[in-house]
Structure formats: C-alpha cells, structure tokens
Amino acid sequence: SDSGTEGRGKGMIRDYVALDLEMTGLSPRKDAILEIGAVKVRDMEVTETYTAMVNPGFPVPEHVTELTGITTEMAQQGREIHTVLPEFLEFCGQSVILGHNIGFDFGFLQQNAANMGKTFPDMAIDTLAIARKFLPELPSRKLGDLCDHYHIREERWHRACDDADAASRLYQKLAEAFSEENETYF
C-alpha cells in the first residue's frame, strides 16, 4: 500500500496499539505508574494484549485502591518500571498509539522513558479529543460514559488492559460514525 496509508481504511487507522495506565496520582514527576495495559489491533481486530503490574516502591494511596482495586500488596508483586517499560516499548514497536485522554498517559510514559534515556512517541489518536469534537451535546465524555452511549460493556473499569480495550472499541464506534468526512481526526 501507499506510504502513510498502511493500516488505514475508510478514513480510519486500522492498525494501532490502544493503551491505558493506572497511576498512584496525577503528576508524572512525583507519582508512579502502577499498571500498564494495551491491546494491539491489526485490521480492527485485537491480535495481542499486554498487561503488567508495576511496583512503585511505595504504598498505593487509599483513594487509588478505591478507584482501581489495586492494593499495595498487589503492586508489591509487580516488577519495577525499568524492567517493564523497555518490554512495553518493544510491544508497541512503531505502531500508532491510541487512548482516551492519551496526553495524560503520555506524560507518565515520556517521563519514565526520559528517566531511562529512552523516548516514547509524542503523537497519538485521542478518543477524548474525537468525542469532544463530534459529540459536544453529550453531558460527559468520560470513557465509561461514552462506552455507555455506544453500548460498549467492560468487565472492570479503571484497570489498564480493560480500559485500553474499551478505548479501542470506542475508537472503532467513533470512526464508523464520523471518519468518512473527517479523516484527519482518525
């Protein structure tokens, strides 16, 4: 296929890695990644998944446990970020990255990659930005609310791999509805 169109079809990218992180807080400089989850999508089908629990080296804040279900004990069973991140970067390869509010996750990935002398791409498809553009009438564009709008069901919310899969399926629904006349967003 032509350069730049590989993995595209009907105005949308069909090959990508959807990712999501769970963190101990909101600051890439002060907080840590707890969990990385991703789904590799080829021709709009999930072909591979990646999930890793990361030991932050300190107790998981109570409010994070309440939101995610990830306890300090679970996190202590995880591996350190310097082992997980290179493995995750290899999983991603040169794929287009996708996520919901992806800039937030990128901040953590880029900070951790920089700490190791590595780089993480800074361009991605953001399903939140797409939803803001094409669904301004909705009262909320949180991932769970958008998934409810499109009847996408998840077993567990606020767990990285499940949220990555939900973002992928949301992208596909948004692309079906809006990509034909709006390729630059997809």
Side-chain angles (χ1 to χ4, degrees), residues 14-16 39-47 168 172:
R14 301 175 64 82
D15 300 339
Y16 54 87
V39 294
K40 190 175 283 185
V41 175
R42 297 295 175 258
D43 198 25
M44 303 300 276
E45 296 290 330
V46 174
T47 59
S168 174
Q172 292 174 11

Side-chain angles (χ1 to χ4, degrees), residues 20-87:
D20 187 69
L21 306 179
E22 300 303 331
M23 287 78 79
T24 61
L26 303 176
S27 170
R29 293 200 193 295
K30 295 187 297 189
D31 294 304
I33 295 171
L34 277 177
E35 186 178 40
I36 300 175
V39 294
K40 190 175 283 185
V41 175
R42 297 295 175 258
D43 198 25
M44 303 300 276
E45 296 290 330
V46 174
T47 59
E48 215 176 327
T49 62
Y50 179 91
T51 187
M53 188 68 65
V54 179
N55 185 342
F58 55 86
V60 176
E62 190 176 312
H63 70 278
V64 173
T65 298
E66 288 172 13
L67 181 67
T68 65
I70 300 171
T71 64
T72 296
E73 294 73 26
M74 290 168 67
Q76 287 173 339
Q77 300 300 310
R79 297 177 290 146
E80 293 181 3
I81 191 67
H82 72 268
T83 348
V84 173
L85 191 59
E87 180 183 281

Side-chain angles (χ1 to χ4, degrees), residues 109-177:
L109 290 167
Q110 288 172 326
Q111 181 67 52
N112 281 277
N115 292 348
M116 290 184 239
K118 299 185 179 299
T119 58
F120 193 80
D122 60 359
M123 290 191 52
I125 297 169
D126 186 355
T127 55
L128 176 59
I130 294 169
R132 283 179 175 152
K133 168 74 178 164
F134 296 106
L135 299 168
E137 72 282 2
L138 294 183
S140 167
R141 283 166 296 286
K142 291 180 181 175
L143 181 60
D145 294 335
L146 288 165
C147 286
D148 284 347
H149 178 76
Y150 282 107
H151 309 290
I152 298 167
R153 299 284 173 240
E154 276 306 310
E155 294 298 313
R156 303 174 303 177
W157 291 108
H158 299 293
R159 289 305 300 268
C161 204
D162 295 319
D163 285 1
D165 184 58
S168 174
R169 292 191 286 147
L170 174 61
Y171 169 75
Q172 292 174 11
K173 294 285 189 183
L174 290 166
E176 285 171 19

Side-chain angles (χ1 to χ4, degrees), residues 87-109:
E87 180 183 281
F88 179 63
L89 293 172
E90 187 175 317
F91 175 83
C92 292
Q94 297 301 309
S95 296
V96 170
I97 303 297
L98 178 140
H100 195 74
N101 195 18
I102 194 67
F104 181 66
D105 292 337
F106 262 33
F108 278 85
L109 290 167

